[in-house]
């Protein structure tokens, strides 16, 4: 049975950077108080990239995908599977993956979206791995992409300071050499209320609440516990010890969650990739953007063992172990 090997990666962030100070000044015009100090101390976030009006998830996804394909040395003709993880698709349908396929000039292969919020990329990677292992795809594009700014309530300081926009992508290829070596996904739908955007477009109107709502403390606690358990389980599945992991690439929501998790697992800080300071929380894009950043600056190298972890709305979480 072939492995799914990562042969390329790419990231794309919209050009507009909004610092904490700039955001705080904007919120102050609406009598909403926040500060760079509060945001940095509670989250580690210093800035975020925000898409300009009219910039869509499929556009960000296409840019990241093209960079990943160039990095992998493949063309649109080689791609026989496209999976986009997103909670902010361009349309109800067609899927963002179909729009990306058309933008890239790829034809004929399967293309679909996965909706697992901030766990979306690890869900998509696990799905693409299963397609490749089963012989149903040979070269897959796996993308996490979001214009999360479009579902934020910019009058809710408890959430609007936390998120940003962007896209990250990897190209997976069927290979006899190890690539994805273990994966495990979880969900607990009974926890849906702690993080949701419980709105819908139906009968020509928005029904329910179109904005993201979060019980931050409940999410914080669940995230640390779920990810710690998932890390142990995925390592057990692969028959490796946590100490063998070269790089941990966790979901980038809050540097305090990342630090707690690293400590709980005994993984030293210098093996943990952190981009939340620059990107904020880009939901499904956060893990592939962090992975790509660490690959490009030379930290993640061929042969390294990488653990990627996602957690978020649903409630969903999961881990993927990859040999580079
Ligand atoms: O990707 C999905 C996963 N999401 C997450 O992982 C997020 C998980 N949760 C968190 O990261 C943290 O819970 C937050 C960053 C959201 C909040 O940090 P916290 O330390 O849990 O703060 P808190 O919610 O307990 O709020 C503390 C205080 C409150 O004021 P009082 O009640 O103590 O007077 C809030 O009203 O901070 C206030 N506050 C703010 N103050 C300034 C909340 N947001 C802000 C703000 N600026 N932006």
């Amino acid at each position: 049975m072939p492995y799914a090997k990562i042969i390329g990666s790419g990231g794309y962030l919209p050009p507009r950077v909004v610092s904490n100070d700039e955001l705080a000044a904007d919120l102050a015009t609406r009598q909403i108080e926040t500060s760079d100090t509060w945001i940095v101390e509670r989250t580690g976030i210093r800035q975020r990239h925000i898409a300009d009006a009219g910039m869509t998830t499929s556009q960000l996804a296409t840019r990241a995908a093209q960079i990943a394909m160039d990095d992998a040395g493949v063309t649109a003709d080689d791609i026989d599977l496209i999976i986009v993880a997103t909670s902010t698709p361009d349309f109800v349908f067609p899927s963002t993956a179909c729009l990306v396929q058309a933008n890239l000039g790829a034809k004929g292969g399967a293309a679909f979206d996965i909706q697992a919020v901030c766990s979306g990329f690890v869900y998509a990677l696990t799905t693409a791995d299963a397609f490749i292992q089963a012989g149903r795809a040979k070269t897959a594009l796996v993308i996490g992409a979001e214009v999360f700014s479009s579902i934020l309530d910019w009058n809710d300081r408890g959430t609007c300071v936390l998120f940003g926009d962007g896209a990250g992508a990897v190209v997976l290829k069927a290979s006899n050499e190890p690539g994805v070596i273990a994966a495990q996904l979880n969900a607990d739908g009974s926890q849906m209320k702690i993080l949701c955007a419980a709105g819908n477009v139906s009968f020509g109107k928005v029904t329910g609440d179109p904005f993201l709502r979060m019980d931050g403390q409940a999410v914080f606690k669940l995230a640390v516990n779920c990810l710690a358990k998932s890390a142990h389980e995925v390592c057990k599945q692969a028959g490796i010890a946590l100490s063998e992991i070269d790089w941990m690439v966790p979901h980038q929501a809050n540097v305090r969650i990342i630090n707690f998790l690293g400590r709980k697992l005994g993984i030293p800080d210098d093996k943990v990739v952190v981009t939340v300071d620059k990107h904020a929380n880009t939901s499904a894009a956060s893990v592939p953007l962090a992975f790509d950043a660490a690959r490009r600056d030379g930290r993640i190298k061929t042969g390294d063992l990488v653990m990627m972890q996602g957690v978020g709305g649903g409630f969903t979480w999961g881990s993927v172990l990859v040999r580079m």
Side-chain angles (χ1 to χ4, degrees):
M1 197 142 32
Y3 288 102
K5 194 156 188 68
I6 295 180
I7 59 163
S9 66
Y12 182 75
L13 293 152
R16 186 153 72 97
V17 177
V18 178
S19 69
N20 290 345
D21 282 334
E22 195 182 337
L23 182 54
D26 179 53
L27 292 179
T29 63
R30 301 194 294 283
Q31 281 73 54
I32 299 165
E33 199 189 318
T34 190
S35 64
D36 175 60
T37 308
W38 190 94
I39 301 170
V40 172
E41 278 177 4
R42 300 285 176 137
T43 72
I45 295 166
R46 295 182 181 275
Q47 62 175 45
R48 72 281 298 135
H49 290 248
I50 299 290
D52 287 331
M55 205 179 267
T56 63
T57 295
S58 68
Q59 289 170 357
L60 303 184
T62 303
R63 299 288 286 262
Q66 192 61 67
I67 296 166
M69 285 162 59
D70 291 347
D71 184 43
V74 301
T75 68
D77 290 342
D78 300 314
I79 302 294
D80 55 7
L81 173 66
I82 301 175
I83 307 180
V84 175
T86 186
S87 301
T88 48
D90 292 21
F91 303 129
V92 174
F93 69 81
S95 68
T96 308
C98 284
L99 303 177
V100 171
Q101 190 202 44
N103 290 345
L104 293 172
K107 280 200 177 72
F112 58 91
D113 289 0
I114 276 187
Q115 159 58 294
V117 202
C118 304
S119 310
F121 184 76
V122 295
Y123 267 66
L125 195 54
T126 304
T127 306
D129 172 51
F131 267 69
I132 287 175
Q133 279 196 51
R136 299 213 157 91
K138 284 202 164 53
T139 311
L141 251 178
V142 183
I143 306 166
E146 305 278 12
V147 179
F148 233 59
S149 56
S150 66
I151 57 165
L152 299 178
D153 177 353
W154 289 96
N155 292 313
D156 174 10
R157 69 176 183 172
T159 55
C160 74
V161 303
L162 305 174
F163 296 91
D165 302 329
V170 299
V171 178
L172 287 178
K173 195 170 167 50
S175 167
N176 290 326
E177 285 171 32
V180 174
I181 57 171
Q184 72 99 231
L185 304 177
N186 309 93
D188 179 357
S190 72
Q191 298 288 345
M192 63 86 66
K193 282 198 174 144
I194 64 172
L195 179 52
C196 58
N200 185 0
V201 179
S202 50
F203 303 106
K205 287 194 292 231
V206 174
T207 53
D209 184 349
F211 296 122
L212 176 150
R213 304 293 174 200
M214 179 169 73
D215 176 345
Q217 290 192 1
V219 171
F220 194 114
K221 280 186 209 132
L222 207 51
V224 175
N225 291 332
C226 289
L227 290 181
K229 193 159 172 261
S230 176
H232 285 292
E233 283 176 15
V234 81
C235 286
K236 193 169 163 207
Q237 197 191 109
I240 62 134
L242 273 165
S243 56
E244 291 176 62
I245 288 170
D246 295 298
W247 293 103
M248 181 164 109
V249 186
H251 174 48
Q252 306 286 318
N254 185 327
V255 79
R256 285 161 55 219
I257 296 181
I258 295 171
N259 290 344
F260 264 109
L261 184 64
R263 250 173 270 143
K264 219 171 151 92
L265 296 174
I267 297 180
D269 289 353
D270 60 3
K271 288 185 168 190
V272 181
V273 178
V274 175
T275 50
V276 69
D277 52 333
K278 296 193 190 73
H279 301 170
N281 181 348
T282 57
S283 187
S286 97
V287 170
L289 274 168
F291 172 79
D292 181 61
R295 239 186 113 235
R296 276 174 196 275
D297 67 20
R299 277 178 290 170
I300 295 179
K301 293 184 284 297
T302 305
D304 282 354
L305 186 59
V306 179
M307 180 171 67
M308 302 190 207
Q309 292 200 294
V311 61
F315 204 72
T316 55
W317 66 98
S319 305
V320 180
L321 271 180
V322 182
R323 180 67 72 186
M324 295 300 300

